[in-house]
Amino acid sequence: MKTKQISRREALKTAALAGAVLAAAPRLFAQPAPAAPGGPAMPITSAAAPAPSGPFTLPPLPYAYDALEPHIDALTMHIHHDKHHKAYVDNLNRAVASFAPEPIPGIEVLLTHMDGLQANVRTAIRNNGGGHYNHSLFWQMMKPSGGGAPAGDLGKAIDASFGSFDDFKKKFSATALKVFGSGWTWLTLNGGKLMLETTPNQDSPLTDGHQVLLGLDVWEHAYYLKYQNVRAEYAGAWWNVVNWDFVADRYNQSKA
Ligand code: MN
């Protein structure tokens, strides 16, 4: 059997082509990188954190681990923020690492342009980017001595959309109990309308273009140490720590 011989010229040509392929860095987006979404910037972190590694960084909790006691216990907050959220950030950074030195867009751009991402990183960015985005907001949606009811335009909009604030709370909690497995329940703004919705895993409503106003993490890691399997008790106690000022600010910014 005769083996096909490759001439020296052909070998050099093949090597040159391979070199050209290696020299071209892989690109995060299959298509040219999209522009940032229009409208006012919606910062997801309240503190300017230094970036020890990046491009994504774990924002500090805006209060002490035990600040939400007795409704959410300190150990849960510690593990949830320092381990779970950190893992999302680390894995997101890993997912985009091979695209350096290409500038990596912000998390909102990534989540709203999922279809344009390279297929081999899309799932990692969906899960870990969603986890980073959702949790960055979640910490700020809570505060010590929170709770009560939203005033101003958001309060009026909730009454108009859900009948009353109490009706809204009932519907939101009922929706949270219906999430099968791990996921989130959300109050979002879509085309100027308030909506209740749920997402599985770490999917974010932002991917569908819905602005997140308020969200409840119903993964077991968010409540199991204190509430075990009783999600309803966690969802009920959580109203005592909701930071309505933060939610109302997001509503006003989204409407602007
Ligand atoms: Mn979580």
Side-chain angles (χ1 to χ4, degrees), residues 80 135 217 221:
H80 200 172
H135 286 85
D217 184 346
H221 69 220

Side-chain angles (χ1 to χ4, degrees), residues 150 153-165 168 187 194 244:
D153 288 347
L154 176 61
K156 284 177 205 155
I158 285 177
D159 288 347
S161 300
F162 301 101
S164 69
F165 181 62
F168 159 74
L187 173 68
L194 292 179
W244 284 110

Side-chain angles (χ1 to χ4, degrees), residues 182-204:
S182 298
W184 291 76
T185 294
W186 306 100
L187 173 68
T188 60
L189 195 62
N190 176 25
K193 287 190 174 170
L194 292 179
M195 283 176 47
L196 281 181
E197 57 185 305
T198 67
T199 56
N201 306 312
Q202 292 298 350
D203 289 359
S204 183

